Amino acid sequence: MTDVLVVDNLSSGYGAVPVLRDVRLSVPAGTITAVLGANGAGKTTLLRTITGLVKPTGGRILFSGDDLRAVKVEQLVRRGIAHVPEGRGVVAELTVDENLRLGGLWRKDKADAKKATAAVYELFDPLARRRNHLGHQLSGGERQMLALGRALVARPTLLLLDEPSLGLAPKVTAQIMALLKHLRDTTGLTVLLVEQNVRGALSIADRGVVMSLGRIVMSADADQLLADDGLRHAYLGF
Amino acid sequence: MERFVFLTFDGLSRGAVYAAFALALVLIWRAARVVNFAQGAMAVVTAYAAYTVSDAVGSYVVGFAVALVGGLLLGALVERGLMRFVGHANPLNDVIVALGLVLFLTAVVGMIFGGEFRAANQPFDTSAIEVGGIPLMSRYDLFIWGTVATIVVLLALLFTRTAIGLRMRAAAFSPEVSRLLGVNVGRMLTLGWALAAVVGAVAGVLILPTELGLHPHAMDIVFASAFAAAIVGGLDSPVGAVVGGIIVGLILSYVSGYLGAALTPVAVLAVLLAVLLLRPGGIFSGVRARTV
């Protein structure tokens, strides 16, 4: 299977404080890779460095063979990378409809962008009923649906999702995880999923990587991580 | 009663200009979280350019067009050449740089055109039209209302009906998310400054004929009134800017008409103080649900 994303010896940080240290990671096309680890492990920084929100201090990031370090953040979505940041990234002052339109504004094929938006409304019924509500008027679950839906309007090849279950009810979390699995299986979407909800993430992921103190300390098939008590205790704490 | 009606119409005309000027301040505040204290000085620069060209070619329309284009270019230049390089971590940095720009622009205008008041021509008669024996408004007042109403409608259409308007709003509210969605936030910021400068330039060209005329400091008091209008309405609210402008225009007209023109600066300060004490976010400041 071809690797869509290759992270090679990646290092980055905030000012003089290093966070990522020589991270190596490959994400095969059409798979879900779960990035796990405790708070402060560097999971969010990994995603932010991949999309250029944090500048790398070393290493390379290859997406379909192209080095992303030379690509501007606003160009990434045109290349097929959608990043749903932590905290859901909904523009609170815009309506649901405007948020979704924003997701497809860059697209030349306006008809397909409209079709993708309609598909999101079909997928997330609560959004269809609240299309004129402002972002800050939505519940946590609806905001997550909106952020995810807006990313899908771009019809990405690679979806970077940062803590989609944060603050959500278990039922909503399960729905979102099921949706990601469905998208992978039906559209071949590749997902790099940062999650604290280890069981939920591994239940849909093909692979799991565990981060600690800015490094990847463990990488294995998701099934193996879930089944092996020793691995779970050592790296995931349960 | 006649006097009250006249002052009301006069206040509405002045208020319309303050509204436009306040709108310019709100545009930049929403785009960059900067109170552009140089807005008045920038409007003076474009007004001098407009009236100089207007006098030279004998056409008010050409001068007006020069104000629009000049505002657009000056706004973009100030953002790209100056404000972009200011560290925004401390809001005081923007204020200091903007005040420095005021000194710079005022000095340059003074060096080129001198410090004397120059007449600013208007395209229409400023004598009031009488209705039922009561002087209401002049043709020039109608021109002001029409121009400001056009600006407000065009801006509303831009922000609510166009893709570029949606990009500008998104970039102002959530720059990082907007970048991830393919929006060139830097370009939107430049456009925001340019648009605001155009609106400010138009407001300057409109109000100068009703004041003493062109002077390097001609917009100082106007800026103070417009700033009060923006605070009254709420710096985040375009609707608030318009309503705030009208409120401040009316108050100043009544104070000037009944108590004397010398008291208008005090009235501006009193309005500002009252709003900051009673509703610091302005009348139209939004109430937002807070996630805990």
Side-chain angles (χ1 to χ4, degrees):
Chain A
M1 207 178 288
T2 323
D3 290 331
V4 167
L5 180 74
V6 176
V7 172
D8 184 22
N9 273 337
L10 187 66
S11 300
S12 74
Y14 300 95
V17 182
V19 177
L20 297 187
R21 300 153 199 263
D22 301 323
V23 171
R24 285 167 186 254
L25 173 72
S26 297
V27 181
T31 63
I32 297 176
T33 300
V35 182
L36 311 167
N39 277 336
K43 307 185 295 294
T44 293
T45 304
L46 173 62
L47 294 198
R48 291 175 65 82
T49 309
I50 290 170
T51 46
L53 295 173
V54 174
K55 290 287 163 216
T57 52
R60 292 188 309 163
I61 308 152
L62 301 174
F63 174 69
S64 300
D66 296 332
D67 194 340
L68 290 184
R69 289 175 306 167
V71 180
K72 287 182 178 173
V73 176
E74 51 267 31
Q75 291 296 327
L76 290 177
V77 71
R78 290 170 175 83
R79 295 198 173 216
I81 300 176
H83 180 178
V84 179
E86 194 179 13
R88 302 181 184 107
V90 163
V91 185
E93 293 82 357
L94 301 183
T95 64
V96 168
D97 212 41
E98 287 171 334
N99 265 288
L100 289 179
R101 267 177 59 210
L102 196 60
L105 270 189
W106 61 273
R107 297 189 60 191
K108 288 200 172 77
D109 188 348
K110 298 296 174 199
D112 190 58
K114 272 191 177 173
K115 221 164 100 181
T117 305
V120 169
Y121 280 131
E122 256 178 54
L123 203 59
F124 300 114
D125 188 44
L127 296 184
R129 283 183 273 117
R130 290 175 175 262
R131 58 175 73 199
N132 292 319
H133 283 62
L134 294 173
H136 69 81
Q137 294 173 319
L138 304 179
S139 69
E142 287 164 344
R143 266 187 259 178
Q144 189 58 62
M145 289 175 200
L146 180 54
L148 193 53
R150 191 181 57 195
L152 296 178
V153 170
R155 296 211 191 277
T157 311
L158 172 65
L159 178 63
L160 308 178
L161 263 180
D162 198 350
E163 305 257 14
S165 73
L166 193 71
L168 298 185
K171 191 180 162 193
V172 181
T173 303
Q175 283 172 347
I176 285 168
M177 295 299 170
L179 174 69
L180 292 176
K181 188 169 181 284
H182 172 75
L183 288 169
R184 176 199 60 190
D185 296 342
T186 55
T187 68
L189 180 69
T190 308
V191 181
L192 186 58
L193 172 68
V194 162
E195 255 301 340
Q196 293 263 15
N197 177 353
V198 176
R199 282 183 197 277
L202 289 178
S203 69
I204 60 160
D206 299 282
R207 283 190 72 74
V209 296
V210 183
M211 290 190 74
S212 176
L213 298 173
R215 295 178 198 276
I216 290 183
V217 292
M218 172 76 201
S219 178
D221 285 345
D223 294 342
Q224 192 188 344
L225 272 172
L226 268 177
D228 191 321
D229 290 343
L231 282 178
R232 279 209 328 268
H233 284 304
Y235 293 109
L236 301 172
F238 71 95
Chain B
M1 186 61 192
E2 274 183 31
R3 186 164 178 71
F4 177 77
V5 173
F6 173 76
L7 290 175
T8 302
F9 276 90
D10 180 59
L12 289 174
S13 296
R14 285 172 163 275
V17 177
Y18 295 150
F21 215 81
L23 207 49
L25 290 171
V26 167
L27 281 176
I28 292 182
W29 173 257
R30 281 166 64 113
R33 285 306 191 240
V34 172
V35 176
N36 183 17
F37 284 97
Q39 193 78 68
M42 289 165 70
V44 165
V45 171
T46 47
Y48 266 102
Y51 282 107
T52 302
V53 171
S54 179
D55 289 346
V57 301
S59 165
Y60 182 86
V61 175
V62 174
F64 198 86
V66 166
L68 295 179
V69 176
L72 201 70
L73 295 176
L74 185 59
L77 185 69
V78 166
E79 196 282 318
R80 295 295 291 233
L82 186 66
M83 300 310 288
R84 183 165 291 204
F85 303 104
V86 179
H88 300 296
N90 182 352
L92 203 56
N93 295 348
D94 298 305
V95 174
I96 291 168
V97 170
L99 290 176
L101 185 62
V102 173
L103 297 177
F104 175 75
L105 293 177
T106 311
V108 169
V109 167
M111 280 192 288
I112 297 171
F113 296 100
E116 306 81 34
F117 278 97
R118 289 176 55 182
N121 300 322
Q122 65 278 355
F124 299 102
D125 193 3
T126 50
S127 53
I129 302 165
E130 291 193 6
V131 177
I134 302 172
L136 293 183
M137 74 208 104
S138 67
R139 286 188 172 79
Y140 188 64
D141 289 333
L142 285 174
F143 174 65
I144 289 177
W145 287 6
T147 307
V148 173
T150 305
I151 289 173
V152 171
V153 169
L154 287 178
L155 284 177
L157 289 175
L158 174 76
F159 284 113
T160 57
R161 295 275 187 271
T162 68
I164 197 90
L166 181 56
R167 284 192 186 98
M168 287 178 77
R169 285 159 65 208
F173 293 130
S174 295
E176 191 175 283
V177 169
S178 300
R179 290 180 75 198
L180 291 172
L181 295 171
V183 177
N184 187 327
V185 172
R187 201 173 290 164
M188 293 304 112
L189 200 55
T190 306
L191 191 56
W193 273 81
L195 269 180
V198 169
V199 177
V202 171
V205 168
L206 288 177
I207 202 162
L208 284 174
T210 66
E211 302 279 319
L212 292 171
L214 274 170
H215 184 272
H217 291 283
M219 295 298 285
D220 290 359
I221 293 293
V222 177
F223 174 81
S225 304
F227 179 65
I231 298 295
V232 166
L235 265 173
D236 255 321
S237 168
V239 176
V242 175
V243 175
I246 301 293
I247 290 172
V248 169
L250 286 171
I251 290 173
L252 294 189
S253 182
Y254 295 140
V255 169
S256 172
Y258 290 120
L259 303 174
L263 280 177
T264 51
V266 181
V268 171
L269 191 66
V271 171
L272 205 56
L273 204 61
V275 171
L276 288 176
L277 285 173
L278 298 173
R279 198 169 165 86
I283 296 170
F284 285 81
S285 60
V287 178
R288 284 263 306 269
R290 189 161 59 97
T291 307
V292 289

